[in-house]
């Protein structure tokens, strides 16, 4: 009984919260629509980037330890297959260098650099838009606030308005202005938090790629005599 009652209160609270948000949206006037548009874009980018970035990250230390073990054992073909199975930007960049391990050092480096040029833009794509959308939401809220106040004071100052209704008209105008401000700031806060988290994750992945690619290259160069070139060719094919 207590659990059922708790669920009922929670459902009522959610319903009231949604109704209150809907009423506030209506009271905010036309300025709420551009803010809603920016909020949809903001949430969409945050969700898409979060799925990609957190799905593309791997444990760098474990990955490097595995690669080092395979290379020192001379089994680069196994390392190539493990990179293919990892399906992450770091693994694809390392794999591009490993399949060229039977070529000169410069070609191995060039292959990894080429793969990095393909992967790094995918990692940082669209995250920077969140800062722009946060500013647009805040400015849209400010614009809605200013126009709401202009309409409010203009209506109060008009001679056609019944003096007994001036207080109500003024209150409605101020309500519209404040709702625009609140929603605009809310979307801006969400956008800036998303930007900070995703930008930090992006930088972390890029740092891991830079560090791991250099370590793998040095490891391959210093252990060329152990590499099974024929097996690498078969894995690449």
């Amino acid at each position: 009984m207590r659990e059922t009652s708790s669920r009922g209160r929670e459902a009522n609270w959610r319903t009231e919260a949604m109704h209150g948000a809907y009423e506030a949206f209506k009271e905010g006037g036309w300025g709420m629509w551009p803010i809603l548009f920016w909020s949809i874009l903001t949430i969409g980018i945050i969700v898409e980037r979060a799925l990609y970035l957190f799905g593309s990250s791997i444990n760098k230390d474990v990955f490097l330890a595995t690669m080092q073990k395979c290379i020192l054992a001379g089994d680069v073909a196994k390392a190539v297959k493990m990179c293919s199975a990892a399906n992450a930007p770091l693994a694809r960049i390392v794999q591009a260098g490993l399949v060229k391990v039977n070529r000169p050092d410069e070609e191995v480096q060039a292959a990894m650099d080429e793969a990095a040029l393909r992967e790094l833009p995918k990692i940082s794509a669209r995250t920077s838009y969140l800062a722009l959308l946060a500013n647009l939401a805040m400015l849209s809220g400010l614009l809605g606030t200013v126009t709401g106040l202009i309409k409010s004071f203009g209506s109060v100052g008009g001679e056609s308005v019944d003096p007994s209704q001036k207080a109500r008209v003024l209150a409605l105008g101020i309500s519209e202005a404040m709702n625009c401000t609140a929603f605009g700031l809310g979307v801006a806060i969400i956008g800036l938090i998303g930007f900070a988290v995703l930008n930090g994750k992006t930088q972390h992945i890029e740092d891991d790629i830079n560090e791991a690619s250099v370590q793998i290259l040095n490891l391959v160069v210093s252990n060329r005599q152990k590499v099974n070139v024929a097996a690498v060719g078969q894995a690449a094919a």
Side-chain angles (χ1 to χ4, degrees):
M1 291 294 293
R2 291 181 179 178
E3 184 177 353
T4 303
S5 177
S6 177
R7 290 179 180 177
R9 287 195 299 269
E10 183 178 354
N12 290 335
W13 179 84
R14 289 179 180 177
T15 302
E16 292 176 0
M18 293 179 63
H19 180 72
Y22 175 71
E23 291 298 325
F25 184 88
K26 288 199 304 181
E27 292 176 3
W30 71 269
M32 301 296 283
W33 291 104
I35 298 174
L36 177 63
F37 179 69
W38 305 135
S39 69
I40 293 172
L41 291 180
T42 299
I43 294 173
I45 291 176
I46 289 175
V47 171
E48 185 271 333
R49 287 286 83 198
L51 291 175
Y52 179 83
L53 292 176
F54 287 92
S56 299
S57 61
I58 57 177
N59 191 314
K60 179 199 64 178
D61 295 330
V62 174
F63 177 76
L64 285 176
T66 304
M67 293 297 103
Q68 182 178 18
K69 181 179 179 181
C70 292
I71 293 172
L72 292 179
D75 194 358
V76 178
K78 181 179 179 182
V80 172
K81 292 178 180 179
M82 295 185 70
C83 287
S84 298
N87 192 27
L90 171 57
R92 287 191 288 268
I93 292 171
V94 171
Q95 181 184 5
L98 291 178
V99 297
K100 295 285 187 178
V101 75
N102 56 339
R103 307 295 298 169
D105 298 345
E106 293 78 9
E107 292 191 27
V108 176
Q109 177 69 68
M112 296 178 74
D113 290 343
E114 182 181 352
L117 290 175
R118 288 195 303 267
E119 297 294 338
L120 291 177
K122 297 177 184 178
I123 296 171
S124 59
R126 291 179 291 281
T127 301
S128 59
Y129 292 157
L130 291 175
L132 171 63
L133 290 171
N135 285 326
L136 288 173
M138 186 166 55
L139 291 174
S140 297
L142 178 60
L143 179 61
T145 300
V146 172
T147 55
L149 291 176
I150 290 174
K151 182 176 69 174
S152 174
F153 288 113
S155 299
V156 171
E159 296 180 356
S160 59
V161 179
D162 188 346
S164 63
Q165 295 295 319
K166 287 187 176 182
R168 180 176 178 275
V169 172
L170 181 62
L172 289 175
I174 294 176
S175 176
E176 175 181 333
M178 294 300 101
N179 278 307
C180 278
T181 301
F183 274 74
L185 288 176
V187 175
I189 290 171
I190 293 173
L192 290 176
I193 292 175
F195 174 76
V197 173
L198 296 176
N199 190 57
K201 185 63 175 178
T202 298
Q203 190 62 52
H204 179 71
I205 294 176
E206 291 177 350
D207 291 342
D208 283 351
I209 288 174
N210 293 331
E211 180 183 349
S213 59
V214 171
Q215 290 189 26
I216 294 295
L217 179 62
N218 292 336
L219 194 61
V220 168
V221 170
S222 59
N223 292 276
R224 276 191 174 276
Q225 70 280 4
K226 299 180 181 179
V227 174
N228 187 340
V229 176
V232 173
Q234 294 177 2

